[in-house]
Amino acid sequence: MAPKFIICSNGNFRIGFVDQHKDLLQPGDQCIGGGYWEIDPVGMRLILTGHSYDFGEPKWNYLQYDGTDLRVPKDYQGLRMIYIPDERGEADFIVNQELHIIYI
């Protein structure tokens, strides 16, 4: 089991320790990417990296352009969420700055 996350087209952010990213899916979910996560307690950050072998990199721009809110479990409220892409030279995506987040 590994720390993995996915994002869904309806804005749901699912996170947990699972074998495969698809284990985070719930009925009716349409996954638009995922990756791995870790918490940096000193920097108060939720660091997101990599990609899902099944679903690819998170397609943050899908939510950005659609205006869909990202729904994140309230356990992660107060953490700065940052996605660090696989490709070198690609800018980090500061989730809190780029998307509107609702903590549920």
Side-chain angles (χ1 to χ4, degrees), residues 45 47-50 82-87 90-93:
R45 300 182 302 166
I47 301 170
L48 310 170
T49 59
I82 181 170
Y83 175 72
I84 301 169
D86 287 338
E87 297 297 321
E90 207 174 324
D92 294 347
F93 187 83

Side-chain angles (χ1 to χ4, degrees), residues 4-103:
K4 298 182 180 186
F5 77 92
I6 60 169
I7 57 173
C8 301
S9 61
N10 63 2
N12 286 330
F13 178 84
R14 304 214 193 279
I15 186 169
F17 285 93
V18 294
D19 288 321
Q20 298 182 336
H21 287 91
K22 68 179 181 180
D23 296 334
L24 294 168
L25 290 172
Q26 293 183 3
D29 280 347
Q30 182 180 6
C31 185
I32 57 171
Y36 298 86
W37 63 272
E38 66 180 277
I39 293 180
D40 168 15
V42 175
M44 294 295 294
R45 300 182 302 166
L46 176 60
I47 301 170
L48 310 170
T49 59
H51 67 280
S52 162
Y53 291 107
D54 295 322
F55 305 114
E57 287 189 353
K59 295 165 188 67
W60 304 108
N61 59 346
Y62 178 91
L63 300 177
Q64 228 174 0
Y65 298 130
D66 195 38
T68 302
D69 295 330
L70 185 66
R71 290 188 288 285
V72 176
K74 64 182 173 182
D75 295 338
Y76 302 96
Q77 190 168 4
L79 296 177
R80 184 172 184 228
M81 293 176 64
I82 181 170
Y83 175 72
I84 301 169
D86 287 338
E87 297 297 321
R88 293 176 188 227
E90 207 174 324
D92 294 347
F93 187 83
I94 311 300
V95 180
N96 304 69
Q97 291 177 0
E98 301 294 335
L99 297 174
H100 182 260
I101 298 176
I102 296 174
Y103 294 95

